[in-house]
Amino acid sequence: MASINPYLIFNGNCEEAFLFYQSVFGGAFPYVGKFKDMPPAEGNPVFSEAEGNKIMHVTLPIGDGSILMGSDSNSASGEIAFGENISLSINAQSKVEADKLFNGLSAGGKVTMPMNDTFWGAYFGMFADKFGINWMVNFDENEK
């Protein structure tokens, strides 16, 4: 069965926020990626040095199986308004489950990134459901 974790989006202070959360919850960051780490590819924006140093993705395990995840917004995504800065991230156990969840939950909503293989090795997509809730669906075969 899939697991659901909160995904927080910041307007430039993600690193500061996650260092604070780490000071409270403890633990280590298994992954911290910056926008400058993205490989050049068609459709990927070119970031300034300042934007390149912003957090593209960070994870902080909390407790028994929960993971707090986050990133900064960038010029391609625009500034994020309070209330729109959180998504629910579903970690599926297979591509079939990921597609089922993505297609079911996105019905009547707005897809912002269709399910696709990514440069970081996951099968991933994003959307807002018909109620305006932001979702991310992820399947990472390497996490099995």
Side-chain angles (χ1 to χ4, degrees), residues 90-110:
I90 303 173
N91 292 311
Q93 301 212 356
S94 68
K95 276 190 172 184
V96 170
E97 183 183 38
D99 284 333
K100 177 184 174 194
L101 294 167
F102 184 93
N103 293 332
L105 289 167
S106 68
K110 181 181 177 189

Side-chain angles (χ1 to χ4, degrees), residues 17-29 60:
F18 269 75
L19 288 171
F20 169 73
Y21 300 145
Q22 182 186 42
S23 76
V24 174
F25 293 112
F29 300 119
L60 179 62

